[in-house]
Amino acid sequence: MTISTRKKITARHNQRPALNIADASVAQPFVAQPSPAAEPSPAQGPTTGSESGPNSGITATEVLDYQLDYWQRSILFWDTMRQRADNMLEHERAGLPPLLDFKYETILDARQFEHPANYALLRVSEVGEDCWEDCVDLAKPPVIVIDPRAGHGPGIGGFKHDSEVGMALHEGHPTYFVIFFPEPAPGQTLADVLHALRRFAEEVSTRHSGMAPVLYGNCQAGWAVTLLSADCKGLVGPAVLNGSPLSYWAGEAGVNPMRISGGLLGGSWLAHLIADLGDGRFDGAWLAQNFENLKPEKAIWEKYSNLFSRIDTERERFLEFERWWNGFYFLSREEIVSIVENLFIGNKLEKGLMPIHEDCVADLRSIRNPLVIFASYGDNITPPHQALGWIPAVYEDTDDLKKAGQRIVYLTNPHVGHLGIFVSAKVARLEHRAILGSLEEIETLEPGLYEMKIDNPSGDPDCHKSQFAVHFEERQVEDLSFPQQTEAFERVEDVSKAGEAFYRSMVSPWVQAAANPWSAEALKWLHPMRTSRYLFAESFNPWMNVVALLAKGVAVNRTPLPQDHPLNRKERQVIEQISEAVESARIARDSAYEQLFLLLYGNSAQK
């Protein structure tokens, strides 16, 4: 697919299927299973004489079987909620360690640096039964995978064997992983984080005879890698940006509401207030809640309805993913205010005004290492507009890009969701393996813009490298045309600056004086993203012990009804109807948000 004109973009958007928040095998609880076509069920035995209306043709035995199955599934469902809560508490009591499916050793701990940051560099040391030396080719450049610090903990890039870490090892690359700890260092800034990442890159390069490492950045980590690339010329190799926003004002009206949320909330002051109430820390649970609210029909309704209807097969996958999803980490006040002000509201990275450290700003034109951008049209958190829109803003045209000596390669997926870009086993086995296997070829490309195409005739994501082929088609910067509302967002920036100045000088000192570690801890425990989980833990709710006992008895005698049972089909139809109703309400909500935004900040048409 070629991204060219707005007409083509709109057409592609209209053709793409509905979003999966985490279109991935590990995250299948988020995905609603399609309802089979409702067909008349043939008679399966004598029916009662009272049958009529919607249940006509369904026997009394089928009704009783379904009621028993429904009751059993209900017990198992609530027992899964209990297990999730207990897992969450166990993980928190253990200190929220990274959820990596690989053995590792710590190389550097940035908490011990002169300018401390809550980051650490790990080296993957074992893969299953194999040692590091048995899996890697030292002639290949090392890969550093950096997970997003956007509310959750680290590990999603190496969550399972078929992952970014797994594919890097599969291709023979010495692999390192950057983690972060639940609590930021006091007063930690973005400059401190970038200093830590720079030290990590230097350390890895030194360990591999000066070879520049490949940086693999997911979401937030992608723009951090971009800043590092702009600041560390010649130190890093190709940078792979997965679902990473660089153009924060880009997006489609009514489709990407996150881009206008800063304007509707009045700017950065609210994030500042939350961090002040948290005694200098911003709770990542707020970010996780925002993600769920973006697509409630997927992240809230279908996530649980799919678990309930398929409790016998989805339980373990649900619990596995929820262990990561419910591990909430903190950011410092300085970090969150800088991120909101400079990126989401100020869009300063695209404009070349993003401050890195004193007397230094990030200039994307200064990046010389090749960039590989992976985006998806099913991603409503970082749509291709935000992943690619910075290119025509930084480079006037294709000739300008070539004169700068830069190589930018992009590839898109038509439907995978935001988390699926990082966690989908299918994506890892095809797209990520293809990227890692093509790094040498990418470095030999002439300066310019290219679209990466993966030819996979079998359609099998488990195919071997010999069964798929990768080629690069040259594209024009001029064809990257995305809708813009620049004037409206400039007004948002002005409002945010005024509101932040007032809050910082007149309100923040009083809030900080009133906040303390005890009040901050109380707010943490009372956050809805936690209380809605803790409510089902045995230590919080003793009645869940009864559910656990009932679940054991149900599991012993459990015989699931077949999926084609007529009442199971009707149940799935009801689930789908509710999902469509929630989706319609969400679309109306997003449309209302867009209209309110235009009313507040100007009715400037998208260009």
Side-chain angles (χ1 to χ4, degrees), residues 1-2 410-411 451-455 469-473 475:
M1 178 200 65
T2 303
Y410 71 85
L411 71 156
E451 182 176 4
M452 180 176 173
K453 293 284 191 176
I454 305 174
D455 296 325
V470 174
H471 68 277
F472 302 92
E473 298 179 2
R475 300 293 184 231

Coordinates of all heavy atoms in Angstrom, one line a residue, residues 1-2 410-411 451-455 469-473 475:
M1 N 0.8 -1.2 0.0 CA 0.0 0.0 0.0 C 0.9 1.2 0.0 O 1.8 1.3 0.7 CB -0.9 0.0 1.2 CG -1.7 1.2 1.3 SD -2.3 1.5 3.0 CE -0.7 1.8 3.8
T2 N 0.6 2.2 -0.8 CA 1.3 3.4 -0.9 C 0.5 4.5 -0.3 O -0.7 4.7 -0.6 CB 1.6 3.8 -2.4 OG1 2.3 2.7 -2.9 CG2 2.4 5.0 -2.4
Y410 N 9.4 2.8 5.6 CA 8.2 2.5 6.4 C 7.5 1.3 5.9 O 7.6 0.9 4.7 CB 7.3 3.8 6.4 CG 6.6 4.0 5.1 CD1 5.4 3.4 4.7 CD2 7.1 5.0 4.2 CE1 4.7 3.7 3.6 CE2 6.5 5.2 2.9 CZ 5.3 4.6 2.7 OH 4.7 4.8 1.5
L411 N 6.7 0.7 6.8 CA 5.8 -0.4 6.4 C 4.6 -0.3 7.3 O 4.7 0.2 8.4 CB 6.5 -1.8 6.5 CG 6.7 -2.3 8.0 CD1 6.8 -3.8 7.9 CD2 8.1 -1.8 8.5
E451 N 9.1 2.4 0.8 CA 8.1 1.5 1.5 C 8.6 0.1 1.4 O 9.0 -0.4 0.4 CB 6.7 1.6 0.8 CG 5.7 0.8 1.6 CD 4.3 0.9 1.0 OE1 4.1 1.6 0.0 OE2 3.3 0.3 1.6
M452 N 8.6 -0.6 2.6 CA 9.0 -1.9 2.7 C 7.8 -2.9 2.4 O 6.8 -2.7 3.0 CB 9.6 -2.2 4.1 CG 10.0 -3.6 4.3 SD 10.8 -3.8 6.0 CE 11.0 -5.6 6.0
K453 N 8.0 -3.8 1.4 CA 7.0 -4.7 1.1 C 7.4 -6.1 1.4 O 8.5 -6.5 1.1 CB 6.7 -4.6 -0.4 CG 6.1 -3.3 -0.9 CD 4.6 -3.2 -0.5 CE 3.9 -2.0 -1.2 NZ 2.4 -2.0 -0.9
I454 N 6.5 -6.9 2.0 CA 6.8 -8.2 2.4 C 5.9 -9.1 1.5 O 4.7 -9.1 1.6 CB 6.5 -8.5 3.9 CG1 7.3 -7.6 4.7 CG2 6.9 -10.0 4.2 CD1 7.0 -7.7 6.2
D455 N 6.5 -9.9 0.6 CA 5.7 -10.8 -0.2 C 5.7 -12.2 0.5 O 6.7 -12.9 0.7 CB 6.4 -11.0 -1.6 CG 6.4 -9.7 -2.3 OD1 5.4 -8.9 -2.2 OD2 7.4 -9.4 -3.0
A469 N 9.6 -12.9 0.8 CA 10.6 -12.0 0.2 C 10.3 -10.6 0.6 O 9.2 -10.2 0.8 CB 10.6 -12.2 -1.3
V470 N 11.4 -9.8 0.8 CA 11.3 -8.4 1.1 C 11.9 -7.6 0.0 O 13.0 -7.9 -0.5 CB 12.0 -8.1 2.5 CG1 12.0 -6.6 2.8 CG2 11.3 -8.9 3.6
H471 N 11.2 -6.5 -0.4 CA 11.7 -5.6 -1.3 C 11.3 -4.2 -0.9 O 10.4 -4.0 -0.1 CB 11.3 -5.9 -2.8 CG 9.9 -5.7 -3.1 ND1 8.9 -6.6 -2.8 CD2 9.2 -4.6 -3.6 CE1 7.7 -6.2 -3.1 NE2 7.9 -5.0 -3.7
F472 N 12.0 -3.2 -1.5 CA 11.8 -1.8 -1.1 C 11.4 -1.0 -2.3 O 12.1 -1.0 -3.3 CB 13.0 -1.2 -0.5 CG 13.5 -2.0 0.8 CD1 14.4 -3.0 0.6 CD2 13.0 -1.7 2.0 CE1 14.8 -3.7 1.7 CE2 13.4 -2.4 3.1 CZ 14.3 -3.4 3.0
E473 N 10.3 -0.3 -2.2 CA 9.8 0.5 -3.3 C 10.0 2.0 -3.0 O 9.5 2.5 -1.9 CB 8.3 0.2 -3.6 CG 8.0 -1.2 -4.1 CD 6.6 -1.5 -4.3 OE1 5.8 -0.5 -4.2 OE2 6.2 -2.6 -4.6
R475 N 9.5 5.9 -2.7 CA 8.3 6.7 -2.6 C 8.7 8.2 -2.6 O 9.9 8.5 -2.4 CB 7.5 6.4 -1.3 CG 7.0 5.0 -1.2 CD 6.0 4.7 -2.2 NE 5.4 3.4 -2.1 CZ 5.3 2.5 -3.1 NH1 5.8 2.9 -4.3 NH2 4.8 1.3 -2.9

